[in-house]
Amino acid sequence: MKKILTLILASMALSLPMTAQAAEDKPSSTPITLDAHTENSKPNPTVLRTPIRISVEAWYDASTNIISIRYYGEATGEVKLYRDGQLIDNSSEINTIFYVSESGFYTIEINAESWSATGSIDIR
């Protein structure tokens, strides 16, 4: 019984530092909250009981200074990146990355065929 207990304790002691190292190796990504809105062009839009979920994500990685935007669907659109209210970059594809070199208040604006989304992050 002592051998089994010793074996369990030894395996836990060896795996604990590996778990701590793996947690430190994760990239320092920060999610950017995007507010998405559908644009209904019908003259009498119907009321939806549940909001439509648009699967678009934006992340800022502090270690590489990259803002990445990922859309899980099929749509064409344009993405604009503003710093302190001034347009600094844009992309004609929704799935894109932007390299950020300066600190400031960044705003992302995504315009697709039937929806739009905005989000912001303060990088210091």
Side-chain angles (χ1 to χ4, degrees), residues 7-81:
L7 182 61
I8 291 172
L9 290 175
S11 64
M12 288 176 58
L14 291 174
S15 66
L16 187 61
M18 289 180 206
T19 306
Q21 180 66 28
E24 291 175 4
D25 291 342
K26 288 185 180 177
S28 56
S29 294
T30 305
I32 301 171
T33 303
L34 294 173
D35 295 322
H37 307 281
T38 58
E39 297 173 9
N40 195 349
S41 60
K42 295 179 184 176
N44 292 325
T46 59
V47 177
L48 299 175
R49 300 204 183 278
T50 59
I52 296 175
R53 171 118 167 83
I54 299 171
S55 55
V56 62
E57 298 175 342
W59 296 85
Y60 170 67
D61 188 353
S63 63
T64 58
N65 292 330
I66 291 178
I67 294 176
S68 61
I69 298 154
R70 180 79 178 141
Y71 175 63
Y72 301 98
E74 293 185 26
T76 58
E78 184 177 20
V79 181
K80 295 179 182 177
L81 181 67

